Amino acid sequence: MRLIWDDLRTVLMLVRHQTLAGAADALEVNYTTVARRVRRAESTLGQILFERLADGYQPTEIAKVVASHAEKMETSEFDLRRYLQGADSALTGTFTITAPQLLISSFLAPVLDDFDQAYPNIELRVLATNDILDLTRLEADLAIRISRNPGDTLKGLRLLKQETASFASPRLADHIRSHPTDMIDWIVYDTFPNVPKGTSPMFPNNRVRFRFDDMVAMLGAAQAGLGVLRVPLFLGRTTSGLEIVPVLPPQPYSDIWVVGHPDVWPSKKAQAFREVLIAHSKRSRSIFTSQAD
Amino acid sequence: MRLIWDDLRTVLMLVRHQTLAGAADALEVNYTTVARRVRRAESTLGQILFERLADGYQPTEIAKVVASHAEKMETSEFDLRRYLQGADSALTGTFTITAPQLLISSFLAPVLDDFDQAYPNIELRVLATNDILDLTRLEADLAIRISRNPGDTLKGLRLLKQETASFASPRLADHIRSHPTDMIDWIVYDTFPNVPKGTSPMFPNNRVRFRFDDMVAMLGAAQAGLGVLRVPLFLGRTTSGLEIVPVLPPQPYSDIWVVGHPDVWPSKKAQAFREVLIAHSKRSRSIFTSQAD
DNA sequence: TAAGTTATATGCGAAAATGCTTGTATGCGA
DNA sequence: TCGCATACAAGCATTTTCGCATATAACTTA
């Protein structure tokens, strides 16, 4: 019995995605190819691996066992690729980072510019997402994250401390300052559905007016004067049409970290990127806290 | 970077064998294919994996790392294949056993016959070798071994206790019995280069005359009357032209075991083979010891 | 020094794998 | 109930991979 390793990988992907098209996307092949590889695997194993149903391929118990072993193989592949990435001393090729969308324009854009100037032969790929990408699976080489915790197995470096404050449109800000005891409307994030704690006693009347699940939309609502917003200082300060209001005094917030997998961390490209990143962080420290205000 | 798993396996084989032809044999492909796959792997990794020398492909350090990861993948493959083998409840297909050559003709042949009669749809493959095959790598499904110890991770079942005794050609045996104090010539195995311990006091004069590294040759030499031989009872008894001589009284010897990997052990085919094996062992017990003499 | 052995390299035709296209079934929603 | 989207299946053409035959280089040995 001579198993084809790439057929095992194909079975793994089909078990994960349950449809030929899904597995084919993951493998970057035509879905017909997935179907044929699976048929071939079934015939060499002498076992039926999937039930062909109208809504996809349903894995049998045996297929799940096959997939679990293929998953171990995949882990070894990722281990290898991370090793190679870490050992790579070239300042050429591609380099992938990920960061929350809102950090890009206000903070990261100059870093990308500096890096591209300094290392024109490195093709920088930026994944702007709030999803926590899996650095173990090399979804990115480095991640910039807003979190006190760099993650379990990841190496991390704290770039910046930061604080939050309350922001509002200039009109609303004026009104609040001149009528501090009026009811103040808040725009809050879905996951923190109440008025932030720690509001100043000078502004005793607060209520939630809107809840959003998207920060960009919240900023838009605040720009339109719909309410007061609690955001990191850098974000409020770099968003036009917003100014700080003293309703909520500056409070410490999760720090900004650059994190990476220990295997990949020592690579020349990662080193280079961190240098540029740290230099820029030092320069822009004042945007993130009220200290230097 | 999209690595082809079977290319990694090819690199592993080439690191192991160091020549295209050797790796190609192991993979059962043409050696040209090995060369091409390795080139492809090198180009996708962007790394040179082997130095092409006159006497073969010399792996670089990176190739060794690649191979070590591919080896983990291979381990997972064997784990899977053993699992599938163990879960296989069919009494069809091939089944592989291994045993020392000398056990085959005298002891195992009837078992093979019985098994083939009882399970004509199973194609039995017999690897007659003194090498200890690696059951973890599925080089065989079951092994019949002469050893007190069934092995570290293997499951085992003791089939037979056995004893050794001294044998000689009829002519020599006659002479020894009639002239017990004459010098007795021994034919011994290279790894036990002295006269066996425990010779009877009735035959005080013993010396080594020949050392061999091959048991078949030793039996031939004994048949030709060149000396006395210590062999397991079953072997002396079933070899024509030899008879037992009382120089060395029967002594316990390593037992005969059937061993298998725990994963494969419960498979229907392995169960079936063990049943036939055990039945035959019980019937032929008397050949192996002096008890029933 | 010439023949033989053991390596790798390369060109060509056969075989295999792959992608594309068309056809069919099923479920969802206007 | 009629698209519409999503799934798989199957046939055909293309591309890729593979094996064979041949050539070349290094080393051994008579």
Side-chain angles (χ1 to χ4, degrees), chain A residues 30-237:
Chain A
N30 191 280
Y31 76 99
T32 326
T33 302
V34 175
R36 280 187 286 236
R37 286 189 190 163
V38 167
R39 253 197 297 280
R40 183 171 55 194
E42 285 180 329
S43 93
T44 59
L45 293 176
Q47 297 281 357
I48 291 178
L49 295 175
F50 296 89
E51 280 186 79
R52 278 73 166 166
L53 300 181
D55 61 337
Y57 272 51
Q58 191 64 29
T60 62
E61 285 308 308
I62 290 175
K64 290 178 191 168
V65 173
V66 172
S68 75
H69 286 83
E71 201 157 38
K72 286 189 192 136
M73 297 173 77
E74 189 195 41
T75 300
S76 295
E77 187 208 335
F78 279 121
D79 289 350
L80 169 61
R81 286 180 47 195
R82 286 199 314 276
Y83 167 85
L84 292 170
Q85 194 79 354
D88 185 6
S89 61
L91 289 171
T92 57
T94 66
F95 189 72
T96 306
I97 64 157
T98 177
Q101 285 127 349
L102 289 171
L103 265 180
I104 306 260
S105 59
S106 50
F107 166 61
L108 220 53
V111 176
L112 306 183
D113 193 21
D114 290 354
F115 186 78
D116 185 57
Q117 302 271 334
Y119 304 99
N121 295 322
I122 300 178
E123 189 185 330
L124 193 59
R125 203 160 58 103
V126 181
L127 303 177
T129 171
N130 290 316
D131 298 344
I132 305 294
L133 297 190
D134 191 341
L135 304 190
T136 301
R137 298 174 66 87
L138 278 171
E139 292 175 357
D141 295 307
L142 287 179
I144 289 101
R145 291 191 178 154
I146 298 178
S147 158
R148 289 184 214 282
N149 176 352
D152 315 333
T153 59
L154 301 180
K155 246 176 129 61
L157 199 65
R158 187 169 60 193
L159 294 171
L160 290 159
K161 300 187 184 190
Q162 64 170 341
E163 296 170 335
T164 55
S166 50
F167 286 84
S169 68
R171 236 170 90 101
L172 180 57
D174 277 348
H175 181 87
I176 290 173
R177 276 190 290 266
S178 49
H179 304 83
T181 58
D182 275 13
M183 178 62 71
I184 297 174
D185 290 329
W186 280 85
I187 301 167
V188 301
Y189 206 70
D190 241 4
T191 50
F192 302 101
N194 299 312
V195 173
K197 287 170 187 161
T199 48
S200 161
M202 288 177 58
F203 307 93
N205 296 311
N206 294 275
R207 67 165 187 189
V208 170
R209 185 165 175 214
F210 295 109
R211 288 190 192 134
F212 281 79
D213 67 346
D214 181 80
M215 183 60 79
V216 174
M218 288 168 71
L219 290 168
Q223 285 170 318
L226 301 191
V228 175
L229 194 67
R230 170 180 175 264
V231 286
L233 273 174
F234 82 90
L235 194 53
R237 282 167 167 167

Side-chain angles (χ1 to χ4, degrees), chain A residues 1-6 8-9 26-28 45 62 65-66 69-70 72-74 76-77 79-81 83-84, chain B residues 1-6 8-9 26-28 45 62 65-66 69-70 72-74 76-77 79-81 83-84:
Chain A
M1 193 204 306
R2 176 154 298 280
L3 293 180
I4 297 173
W5 283 9
D6 286 290
L8 297 180
R9 168 152 70 172
L27 292 166
E28 293 176 14
L45 293 176
I62 290 175
V65 173
V66 172
H69 286 83
K72 286 189 192 136
M73 297 173 77
E74 189 195 41
S76 295
E77 187 208 335
D79 289 350
L80 169 61
R81 286 180 47 195
Y83 167 85
L84 292 170
Chain B
M1 190 203 306
R2 175 154 299 280
L3 293 179
I4 296 173
W5 284 9
D6 286 291
L8 297 180
R9 167 152 71 175
L27 292 165
E28 293 177 13
L45 293 175
I62 291 176
V65 174
V66 172
H69 286 84
K72 286 188 192 136
M73 297 173 76
E74 189 195 39
S76 294
E77 186 206 337
D79 288 349
L80 170 63
R81 286 179 47 192
Y83 166 84
L84 292 169

Side-chain angles (χ1 to χ4, degrees), chain B:
Chain B
M1 190 203 306
R2 175 154 299 280
L3 293 179
I4 296 173
W5 284 9
D6 286 291
D7 288 356
L8 297 180
R9 167 152 71 175
T10 305
V11 170
L12 169 62
M13 289 305 172
L14 189 49
V15 168
R16 282 202 182 130
H17 293 92
Q18 319 258 328
T19 71
L20 293 180
D25 277 359
L27 292 165
E28 293 177 13
V29 295
N30 192 281
Y31 74 101
T32 324
T33 302
V34 175
R36 282 187 283 234
R37 287 187 188 164
V38 167
R39 251 197 299 279
R40 183 172 56 194
E42 286 180 330
S43 92
T44 60
L45 293 175
Q47 298 279 358
I48 291 178
L49 295 175
F50 296 89
E51 281 185 78
R52 277 74 167 166
L53 302 179
D55 61 339
Y57 272 51
Q58 191 64 30
T60 62
E61 285 307 310
I62 291 176
K64 290 178 190 168
V65 174
V66 172
S68 75
H69 286 84
E71 201 157 38
K72 286 188 192 136
M73 297 173 76
E74 189 195 39
T75 300
S76 294
E77 186 206 337
F78 280 121
D79 288 349
L80 170 63
R81 286 179 47 192
R82 287 198 313 276
Y83 166 84
L84 292 169
Q85 194 80 355
D88 186 6
S89 60
L91 289 171
T92 57
T94 65
F95 189 73
T96 307
I97 65 159
T98 177
Q101 284 127 350
L102 288 171
L103 264 181
I104 306 260
S105 60
S106 49
F107 166 61
L108 219 53
V111 176
L112 305 183
D113 193 20
D114 290 355
F115 186 78
D116 184 58
Q117 303 270 334
Y119 304 98
N121 295 322
I122 300 179
E123 190 186 328
L124 193 60
R125 203 161 58 102
V126 181
L127 303 177
T129 170
N130 291 317
D131 298 342
I132 305 293
L133 298 190
D134 190 342
L135 304 190
T136 301
R137 299 175 64 87
L138 279 171
E139 290 175 359
D141 294 306
L142 287 178
I144 289 101
R145 292 192 176 152
I146 298 177
S147 158
R148 287 184 215 281
N149 174 354
D152 314 333
T153 59
L154 301 180
K155 244 174 131 60
L157 198 67
R158 187 168 61 191
L159 294 170
L160 290 158
K161 300 186 184 191
Q162 64 171 341
E163 296 170 337
T164 57
S166 51
F167 287 84
S169 69
R171 238 173 88 103
L172 181 56
D174 276 348
H175 180 87
I176 288 172
R177 277 190 288 267
S178 50
H179 304 82
T181 57
D182 275 14
M183 178 62 70
I184 296 174
D185 291 328
W186 281 85
I187 302 166
V188 300
Y189 206 68
D190 241 1
T191 50
F192 303 99
N194 299 312
V195 172
K197 286 168 186 163
T199 48
S200 161
M202 288 177 56
F203 307 94
N205 296 310
N206 294 276
R207 66 164 186 188
V208 170
R209 187 168 176 211
F210 296 109
R211 288 189 193 135
F212 283 80
D213 68 346
D214 180 80
M215 182 61 76
V216 175
M218 287 167 73
L219 290 168
Q223 285 170 318
L226 301 191
V228 175
L229 193 66
R230 171 182 175 265
V231 286
L233 273 173
F234 82 90
L235 194 54
R237 283 167 167 169
T238 57
T239 303
S240 65
L242 287 185
E243 58 179 66
I244 203 162
V245 282
V247 181
L248 191 70
Q251 294 177 334
Y253 189 60
S254 302
D255 299 328
I256 298 179
W257 291 75
V258 54
V259 302
H261 193 284
D263 291 350
V264 176
W265 191 261
S267 86
K268 267 282 185 320
K269 288 199 274 280
Q271 281 179 39
F273 188 82
R274 286 198 302 276
E275 272 175 36
V276 174
L277 189 59
I278 290 167
H280 176 69
S281 298
K282 281 182 182 162
R283 284 198 302 272
S284 51
R285 191 169 286 166
S286 61
I287 312 178
F288 289 82
T289 61
S290 54
Q291 310 298 89
D293 263 22

